[in-house]
Amino acid sequence: MRHFLSLKDFTKEEIIEIINVGLKIKKETKNRIFQPYLKNINLAMIFEKSSTRTRVSFETGINQLGGNGLFLSSKDIQLGRGEPIKDTARVISRMVDLIMIRTFGQDRLEEFASFSKVPVINGLTDKYHPVQLLADYMTMIEFQKENGVCAYVGDGNNMTHSWMILASKLGLELRIATPKGYEPLDDVKEMCEEFAKESGAKLIYTNDPKEAVKDADVVTTDTWVSMGQEEEKEKRIKDFKGYEVNDELMSLAKDDALFLHCLPAYRGYEVSEEVFESHADEIFSEAENRLHAQKGLMVWLMN
Ligand code: CP
Ligand code: NVA
């Protein structure tokens, strides 16, 4: 049995295989062919944080595959009233076949998984957001940018860490521009350096967005204020001055560069209205690919 807690536990070949399963099912879905690959499979989806895309994509995805989804907000289950995570895991995993959880600490997710009898999927933690990267890389493949130079501009957060692992596993060049004090975590950096030795990936860290974006094929960013950081909002907005992905910054990237954003996007902060709307096709393809990539993941994990 495999869990999907971080891309760090998967090889390049496995990551590509999962995405290819997703692409195959996507093609079938576009032709209105719904094969019951996960007939009678019950997926529990536990949310300790808000979500639009993760909830809708997992719930629709499992239904299209012939299974059932149970949406469990921590507000409504005993977990939110203090039932231990390990008890919650032992109860729910005796009743369902697959579990997705969105929570705070990665340690909380790992504890849950260690007590679960069925595969557990990370639907976002403070440290990683690996299902998002499956969709992002699927989108890069579809836009023929799968070997492109990538630039991440903004906060060194769960999205950055997941981009770092994807790039270092796949052998890509990734430049990361963060303000001072908002760099990615050192343990993730060290781990990715090790992966890069094997794959030939290049990870570059800078405090200069222009340096990161110059001649890039793919530019991406994320909110400056992640879920759980609402109290730091004012300080962060000041500290991230100059990190907006706007037309001026995008003009340094290749002419046909992709712009990706995991969403939700905050215009006028991490991205300008103009950049967002001129790249809306890519961004919403990326959002749609959450559905397809995760269907691939669920089928892969259950086989
Ligand atoms: N990108 C993403 O995970 O979106 P949600 O928070 O809406 O699920
Ligand atoms: N970094 C963001 C991603 C949202 C999908 C957050 O954790 O809130």
Side-chain angles (χ1 to χ4, degrees), residues 36-286:
Y37 295 110
L38 297 182
K39 192 166 161 36
N40 296 330
I41 293 294
N42 284 295
L43 165 73
M45 304 177 293
I46 303 170
F47 284 91
E48 295 200 277
K49 292 177 176 174
S50 307
S51 168
T52 298
R53 280 142 289 270
T54 305
R55 177 183 177 176
V56 176
S57 55
F58 270 108
E59 195 163 332
T60 307
I62 192 71
N63 289 339
Q64 289 180 349
L65 292 166
N68 307 295
L70 290 90
F71 170 72
L72 304 170
S73 160
S74 62
K75 287 194 203 88
D76 305 325
I77 60 173
Q78 299 288 6
L79 183 67
R81 296 181 63 247
E83 184 167 20
I85 195 113
K86 58 184 180 183
D87 295 357
T88 307
R90 283 180 284 190
V91 171
I92 295 179
S93 72
R94 280 174 178 247
M95 298 183 185
V96 305
D97 310 287
L98 187 58
I99 300 171
M100 184 241 85
I101 174 164
R102 167 168 285 196
T103 186
F104 292 87
Q106 182 74 9
D107 53 346
R108 202 166 158 76
L109 168 78
E110 280 166 16
E111 184 184 357
F112 188 100
S114 72
F115 283 92
S116 171
K117 290 164 84 91
V118 301
V120 175
I121 298 172
N122 180 353
L124 180 146
T125 61
D126 294 344
K127 192 167 185 179
Y128 298 123
H129 194 7
V131 286
Q132 180 68 53
L133 268 288
L134 294 178
D136 292 7
Y137 196 64
M138 181 182 270
T139 311
M140 283 170 62
I141 294 172
E142 290 178 334
F143 283 86
Q144 287 157 4
K145 294 278 188 273
E146 65 268 35
N147 298 314
V149 170
C150 306
Y152 177 97
V153 178
D155 186 22
N157 63 13
N158 45 10
M159 280 302 298
T160 327
H161 297 147
S162 298
W163 268 101
M164 287 162 66
I165 300 177
L166 181 93
S168 61
K169 287 271 178 177
L170 266 45
L172 303 174
E173 178 170 334
L174 172 66
R175 300 123 169 216
I176 296 165
T178 59
K180 285 207 173 66
Y182 294 94
E183 288 89 356
L185 292 171
D186 285 338
D187 67 316
V188 181
K189 278 191 185 172
E190 279 162 31
M191 175 177 73
C192 290
E193 280 316 315
E194 287 305 310
F195 297 150
K197 276 184 200 155
E198 201 178 312
S199 67
K202 224 168 131 188
L203 266 60
I204 297 161
Y205 305 96
T206 171
N207 302 119
D208 178 3
K210 293 194 177 95
E211 185 191 330
V213 168
K214 193 164 173 10
D215 297 325
D217 297 286
V218 179
V219 178
T220 186
T221 182
D222 182 21
T223 180
W224 296 339
V225 187
S226 284
M227 290 180 275
Q229 298 173 333
E230 290 75 9
E231 282 178 8
E232 298 169 34
K233 185 172 171 184
E234 257 175 63
K235 177 174 169 26
R236 284 177 167 265
I237 288 169
K238 276 190 210 128
D239 292 347
F240 282 85
K241 200 171 178 294
Y243 281 76
E244 182 190 56
V245 181
N246 51 29
D247 282 335
E248 193 191 333
L249 191 61
M250 274 308 280
S251 72
L252 301 174
K254 292 223 179 100
D255 289 342
D256 63 345
L258 275 193
F259 174 76
L260 297 178
H261 193 310
C262 67
L263 303 177
Y266 300 89
R267 287 135 161 117
Y269 295 99
E270 79 273 8
V271 60
S272 69
E273 171 75 12
E274 293 70 30
V275 167
F276 188 93
E277 290 304 334
S278 60
H279 291 271
D281 181 39
E282 296 132 52
I283 298 168
F284 292 107
S285 296
E286 175 191 9

